Amino acid sequence: MTGTGTNSDIRNRAKAAFLGVAVGDALGAGLEFMTPGEINAKHGTVREIIGGGWLRLKPGQVTDDTEMSLCIARAVDAAGGWLLPEIAESFAMWLRTKPIDVGDTCRRGIRNYMLKGILESPFNQWDAGNGACMRMLPVALCTFCSEDLLESYAIQQAHLTHNHPLSDAACIALGRLVHLSLQGYSKPRLRRELESLLSCYENFRFEPYRKLATAYVVDTMQTVFHYFFKTRDFESCLVETVNQGGDADTTGAIAGMLAGAYYGMESIPKRWLKKIDRNLVDEISTLSDRLLDLSPSMVSV
């Protein structure tokens, strides 16, 4: 993987990244809030999409990680570009449907928009959660190869609900890793890119891994980075990530995003994809292409 991806390669990886969010979300959702010991005692090592968990999900059912990503993707696609008020309205429409799961910080930010028209939540030291990172994939696609736009859009969408430097830094770093993965760069190159985050925010360092997979964005990203760089294929990355428990739907979704972008469609187990609603798979496949088409650099690839 040398960074010489063709147009078709990039589109393949983009589709895999978006589907990776849904697959990782569904795989991990049934294990959310469990410890590794509890998972092992009840299930052994979970390698299949089993549903259940505290939300009593059907196998293949996705949660807010995928749904909020779709909110952004649909809004950008419908507007033909990036319009933050349209994204906020998309979140509001979603919240009105009474989704099965909504993080407290996301709910508060969306309600502030609904009630007061606020598009940027004020800084809050307690808002260093992972809710902005989990929905970064559409941002990465529509800003493909434009670092300036990536940084701007990542922070804009994050601040709708999460206004914290650690959340901002994680969103930008994740977007950059997705961009490099879409282009076919190697893991050593991705690891070097990550050093820019680690040099500024030492608490994201994941070696040695502390085995925490909470919704705190540092714990979430340490878990994703650890298993992404440790493993050598999509399935192993996601299986090891979600079996760490904790906020397993979100660690699974973010790991699926990054591993999908890196390994491509052929790497996603077909038995997992078959569990995801066919209409959702089709929509994600269409949106991944359409978002790439809106990126300023795609025309030159």
Side-chain angles (χ1 to χ4, degrees):
M1 301 176 70
T2 60
T4 56
T6 64
N7 187 299
S8 60
D9 289 335
I10 293 165
R11 291 183 183 278
N12 174 292
R13 295 177 194 278
K15 178 180 175 181
F18 210 154
L19 287 172
V21 173
V23 166
D25 180 4
L27 183 69
L31 309 180
E32 190 176 15
F33 301 136
M34 297 177 72
T35 68
E38 289 169 342
I39 294 170
N40 188 61
K42 184 173 183 178
H43 302 293
T45 299
V46 174
R47 301 181 183 278
E48 307 302 331
I49 295 175
I50 58 176
W54 75 281
L55 292 171
R56 299 180 181 178
L57 300 168
K58 298 175 182 178
Q61 189 174 354
V62 297
T63 71
D64 52 341
D65 305 81
T66 306
E67 290 169 350
M68 293 193 81
S69 298
L70 283 167
C71 286
I72 296 177
R74 290 165 178 158
V76 173
D77 178 44
W82 187 267
L83 290 174
L84 191 63
E86 297 301 315
I87 293 168
E89 188 58 37
S90 186
F91 285 165
M93 290 173 60
W94 170 72
L95 190 62
R96 292 187 188 103
T97 69
K98 302 187 186 305
I100 192 169
D101 189 26
V102 188
D104 290 341
T105 305
C106 287
R107 184 189 299 275
R108 184 176 69 243
I110 297 169
R111 284 188 59 79
N112 279 340
Y113 164 74
M114 294 168 69
L115 297 173
K116 306 172 188 176
I118 295 173
L119 290 172
E120 182 172 15
S121 295
F123 166 77
N124 186 324
Q125 63 176 324
W126 306 110
D127 283 355
N130 56 22
C133 270
M134 71 187 190
R135 57 189 195 234
M136 267 299 297
L137 194 275
V139 182
L141 295 186
C142 74
T143 63
F144 180 58
C145 285
S146 174
E147 191 165 315
D148 289 343
L149 283 182
L150 170 66
E151 183 169 337
S152 174
Y153 294 175
I155 292 174
Q156 285 182 45
Q157 71 85 20
H159 286 190
L160 283 169
T161 56
H162 293 67
N163 188 340
H164 194 285
L166 291 175
S167 170
D168 294 350
C171 286
I172 293 167
L174 178 61
R176 288 174 177 167
L177 294 182
V178 169
H179 280 185
L180 290 172
S181 296
L182 292 176
Q183 296 173 80
Y185 281 100
S186 67
K187 282 193 180 180
R189 174 65 182 87
L190 269 63
R191 188 68 177 81
R192 290 196 301 273
E193 181 66 30
L194 194 53
E195 279 301 318
S196 62
L197 169 68
L198 302 180
S199 64
C200 295
Y201 296 95
E202 288 285 335
N203 41 353
F204 280 104
R205 291 202 175 273
F206 54 96
E207 296 167 338
Y209 177 47
R210 299 183 303 145
K211 299 185 177 181
L212 297 174
T214 74
Y216 176 43
V217 72
V218 171
D219 293 344
T220 295
M221 300 314 295
Q222 284 179 338
T223 297
V224 171
F225 294 152
H226 171 74
Y227 289 115
F228 174 72
F229 287 106
K230 172 191 174 188
T231 56
R232 296 187 177 183
D233 60 75
F234 181 94
E235 182 171 349
S236 297
C237 177
L238 266 66
V239 166
E240 294 198 34
T241 296
V242 302
N243 278 275
Q244 187 60 42
D247 200 14
D249 57 333
T250 300
T251 58
I254 297 174
M257 179 194 313
L258 187 53
Y262 186 81
Y263 293 111
M265 278 303 300
E266 296 74 17
S267 69
I268 303 179
K270 289 183 174 57
R271 70 184 193 279
W272 289 356
L273 281 174
K274 288 178 181 177
K275 291 284 188 179
I276 308 299
D277 180 83
R278 186 72 244 174
N279 292 328
L280 181 60
V281 171
D282 290 344
E283 182 182 16
I284 284 173
S285 300
T286 298
L287 284 170
S288 68
D289 267 340
R290 292 170 73 101
L291 291 173
L292 272 180
D293 288 339
L294 291 171
S295 68
S297 300
M298 194 59 194
V299 292
S300 62
V301 173

